[in-house]
Amino acid sequence: MPPIRPCAPGGPPQIAGTFRTGVRMLGRLEQITPRGAYRKSGVVGVGLLLSMLRTGRTSAAMICALAFFAVRAAAQPSVELRIDANEAYADEATPLTLWILNYRQAGKPVLPAIPGCEFGGGSQETSMFSDGRQTRTTMRIHYELVAHKPGDLVIPPIEVDVDGRTLKTEPVKLTILPSQVADLLQAEITTDQKQLFVGQQVLLKLSVYLRPAIVNRQTIDRQSMKRFLKPTWGELNEFRETGKSGTQRRRDASGDAKDFYVFEYTLKMTLDRPGPLELGELAIPVDYPISFGRDMFGEIFVEKYRRLRTQPQRLLPDVQPLPTANRPAGFTGAIGNYRIDVSARPLRVRVGDPINLTLALSGQGDLESLPPPNLAVQPGLTEKFRVPEESLAGRMENGRRIFTQTIRARTSDVREIPPIEYAFFDVERSDYAVARSAPLAITVEASNHLDASTLPEFATPSRQEPAAPEVVDGLLGNRVESESLLRAVRPVRISDVALVMIMPPAAFIAACAWSTVSQRRTTGSRQRRRQEARAIALARIETAQVQPAAQQTSAIAAAVAGYLADRLDLPPGRCAGEDGVATLQQSGADEAAVGSLREFVARCDRAAYAGGDDDQDLADLARRCIDELARGET
């Protein structure tokens, strides 16, 4: 920023320098004391100070200034409304400062209602002064007044309860000038897309045009002007600066061509509804400098601002819904322009063996939220392969969206994996399109099974058919040879009768005895298993904590699953993960125990797949879960 030369009075350099020092002190005192007190003691104070400065008595001047401040500090309580200038601009914030001086207690100011105007702000600053007997406080309350219509304006008195009395400020007159914000600040939101559709990811560009300020007939550079731009965008706080710089010639409010600094910001957003693009409350505030000064160290500072505020002009087309005509059957909502590549492993399998299919999507669009292909409607795929119906979970890898699925060949006559189609809506063409992968050649062999036709023939033993009964008068007769019939029957003995009478009761008694012994053994084994479950589980957790980090999570999870299996007398496989939660619910355990196990399972899954959990925390959680399970069992 260019230097500013101060106006020095005539006279010797030493006197002039001392004079400037004294004037600065009076200026600072004027900022922290009421103007009424300054007027009452101003003639004596200023006259005495200037007399001492002219005679070179600088020390005496300093003492006079301090005494001058002390006199005013002892003044009576008062209130005063100050403004920086008697002119303001319509629709711009004008700073006001309400001073409450030399008080012990002060109430909340009562702001008057002014038609066509709004009050804002209300931040406070306080300072205290004590003379050894009593303490007085001075408060400054900073407001902003926005007037919406040009013309003369009078701010009515503001009432404040101070030390039990109601004090009022003097009325303040303002002249409200028409606000030509476009002369100094302009903004617009644009996009490179000629058409917008629901579901499309679009890049919005916010361009802020700021007229450079001029000091001493020299233009302030772009970087210095950027400090006056306040990057708060309301609801759209995700706008990010691009870093592009430059100057552009634009028309101001009067139609004249002027040079403006350009500041660019961008935002990516996905459109979720048709109609005009809703961006919420979006305003560009700028504290535009209009007056500069130099402080006591010679540094330039801004004395006065114009608080500009503008709404960006939205040069955007309306968002259109996706057309229904020509929509492909496999369309899942992808918007953009994409390519699909497919790979499979292994390429030589038997019927029913798993084939890992990898689908890679790339192109222009919102890849991170891209929906997966719908494999259930792929022509030729479901006829030749068994395809799961669950939705696919994707991941980002090297700028591509990756999906994986396992398929299995139905028959051995399959020779290739047919092209996989991915339907999307092409914004550039305003129509649907389908990307297709190349077919993949595979070899499918028959699965291993026994074929009865390949087994060797074995001779079966021949069975001698009995002689056919004699036919008498065309009828098949019955055998009547009594000798042959009696020869086939063994005589009944006493031992046979005894065996028949004794064996059933004996067998029943033996079965009951065996059942009783088995039940006692089983009950004892279950009881020992339940009693030893906690000690075994805690020992397994301790052992897991000294294992390698990659194995600790699974070992701790196995310890909890083993405990639950021992307590319920079930196989450990039924008590692992979500199966264990379901089994515990079916056993009638209370909700606290079920919730504790569910939390532990979720932590184990997060640690196994996402990483980041502390193993000590997981072990402590496992111990708490075991304690909760012990209390919650029914």
Side-chain angles (χ1 to χ4, degrees), residues 549-576:
Q551 302 175 7
Q552 289 186 14
T553 299
S554 59
I556 294 174
V560 176
Y563 171 80
L564 185 61
D566 291 343
R567 296 293 292 181
L568 300 180
D569 194 31
L570 293 173
R574 290 185 55 186
C575 300

Side-chain angles (χ1 to χ4, degrees), residues 339-530:
R339 167 180 174 164
I340 182 170
D341 296 299
V342 178
S343 60
R345 291 291 183 274
L347 297 178
R348 187 180 186 89
V349 295
R350 294 180 181 273
V351 173
D353 287 351
I355 302 173
N356 296 322
L357 198 65
T358 302
L359 314 171
L361 294 170
S362 58
Q364 300 177 355
D366 188 6
L367 287 172
E368 293 187 356
S369 59
L370 202 62
N374 188 358
L375 298 181
V377 298
Q378 297 293 327
L381 184 65
T382 54
E383 291 84 355
K384 299 180 180 180
F385 297 87
R386 293 200 300 269
V387 182
E389 296 182 356
E390 65 267 14
S391 180
L392 304 182
R395 68 180 189 276
M396 290 299 298
E397 185 177 300
N398 298 326
R400 301 189 303 172
R401 185 74 169 168
I402 306 297
F403 300 93
T404 57
Q405 184 59 283
T406 300
I407 62 176
R408 302 172 189 267
R410 295 181 181 272
T411 60
S412 60
D413 59 353
V414 177
R415 297 292 178 264
E416 68 176 15
I417 299 176
I420 304 299
E421 297 183 350
Y422 190 72
F424 57 88
F425 184 80
D426 190 347
V427 177
E428 297 295 333
R429 297 168 47 202
S430 300
D431 197 5
Y432 293 97
V434 177
R436 294 178 176 84
S437 65
L440 297 176
I442 63 172
T443 300
V444 181
E445 299 175 353
S447 60
N448 293 326
H449 63 280
L450 292 177
D451 191 347
S453 61
T454 62
L455 296 177
E457 295 185 359
F458 297 93
T460 56
S462 60
R463 184 179 60 183
Q464 184 176 2
E465 296 292 336
E470 183 180 358
V471 178
V472 180
D473 295 332
L475 297 176
L476 188 62
N478 294 329
R479 295 184 181 273
V480 294
E481 296 89 348
S482 57
E483 183 178 355
S484 61
L485 293 176
L486 292 174
R487 187 170 56 248
V489 177
R490 187 174 66 85
V492 178
R493 294 176 294 182
I494 297 298
S495 60
D496 295 336
V497 176
L499 185 63
V500 171
M501 296 294 293
I502 297 174
M503 282 300 296
F508 176 77
I509 294 173
C512 291
W514 177 257
S515 176
T516 302
V517 172
S518 299
Q519 186 174 4
R520 289 181 178 178
R521 289 180 178 178
T522 303
T523 302
S525 176
R526 291 177 180 175
Q527 188 67 22
R528 287 194 302 272
R529 187 180 179 188
R530 287 173 57 87

Side-chain angles (χ1 to χ4, degrees), residues 98-160:
L98 176 63
W99 287 73
I100 308 176
L101 300 116
N102 302 310
Y103 72 93
R104 291 189 298 271
Q105 293 181 347
K108 184 178 181 180
V110 179
L111 300 178
I114 307 176
C117 298
E118 299 172 357
F119 280 100
S123 61
Q124 300 179 2
E125 296 180 65
T126 58
S127 58
M128 303 180 67
F129 173 79
S130 176
D131 59 1
R133 293 177 299 174
Q134 60 180 355
T135 300
R136 296 276 181 169
T137 306
T138 297
M139 178 187 297
R140 287 178 289 174
I141 307 178
H142 302 281
Y143 295 104
E144 289 184 347
L145 177 67
V146 179
H148 298 293
K149 295 181 180 180
D152 294 332
L153 175 67
V154 176
I155 302 177
I158 299 176
E159 297 182 355
V160 186

